[in-house]
Amino acid sequence: MEKHQLICIVCPMGCHLEVTKENEEYHVTGNKCPRGKTYGVKELTNPTRVVTTTVKIEGGLLNRLPVKTKEAIPKEKIVECMKLIDSIEVKSPISVGTVIVKDLLGTGIDLVASRSM
């Protein structure tokens, strides 16, 4: 039996979870809502995160444009994702929601602008 201690990041409550794996089945305790149970299992089987950062923009009001992944990407791809994002430069004007990179690193998830500029 494996036991893991996690803090849920789905909402601001920050529930302290204990996730137990027994015979390929996961049991979660400490969650105050059903989302905590889902998070606990997902964090041990396939952890993902939404990446929020900036890219260079030419001709914009500011030098950097805020961007984010439209959905969560696998946690193990974050470093590679950031290396790619660091090399990107876009030209103004850009509208919020504009796809900056389609199918980021083959994940099927787009990198989009999170501000118009």
Side-chain angles (χ1 to χ4, degrees):
M1 178 180 353
E2 295 178 41
K3 283 188 180 184
H4 299 273
Q5 304 291 324
L6 303 171
I7 296 176
C8 183
I9 61 171
V10 176
C11 76
M13 289 181 66
C15 296
H16 289 261
L17 307 177
E18 182 174 277
V19 184
T20 308
K21 180 181 177 187
E22 194 173 352
N23 301 329
E24 302 303 316
E25 193 169 322
Y26 292 89
H27 302 281
V28 180
T29 58
N31 56 306
K32 294 183 175 81
C33 72
R35 294 181 300 171
K37 180 178 182 180
T38 303
Y39 170 79
V41 173
K42 186 175 177 187
E43 188 63 13
L44 293 182
T45 58
N46 183 27
T48 60
R49 297 290 185 274
V50 171
V51 174
T52 60
T53 187
T54 60
V55 295
K56 295 174 211 148
I57 185 166
E58 183 182 314
L61 175 65
L62 304 171
N63 294 329
R64 308 288 294 182
L65 173 73
V67 295
K68 68 177 196 119
T69 54
K70 201 164 184 177
E71 297 174 33
I73 64 169
K75 198 171 172 183
E76 71 269 4
K77 291 199 177 234
I78 291 176
V79 172
E80 187 180 357
C81 171
M82 290 303 296
K83 285 179 184 175
L84 172 66
I85 291 170
D86 189 46
S87 69
I88 296 171
E89 184 169 346
V90 296
K91 293 184 191 241
S92 179
I94 298 280
S95 297
V96 68
T98 299
V99 175
I100 306 299
V101 177
K102 185 145 185 76
D103 189 20
L104 186 64
L105 300 175
T107 60
I109 297 165
D110 298 338
L111 181 71
V112 297
S114 54
R115 174 186 176 163
S116 296
M117 194 177 304

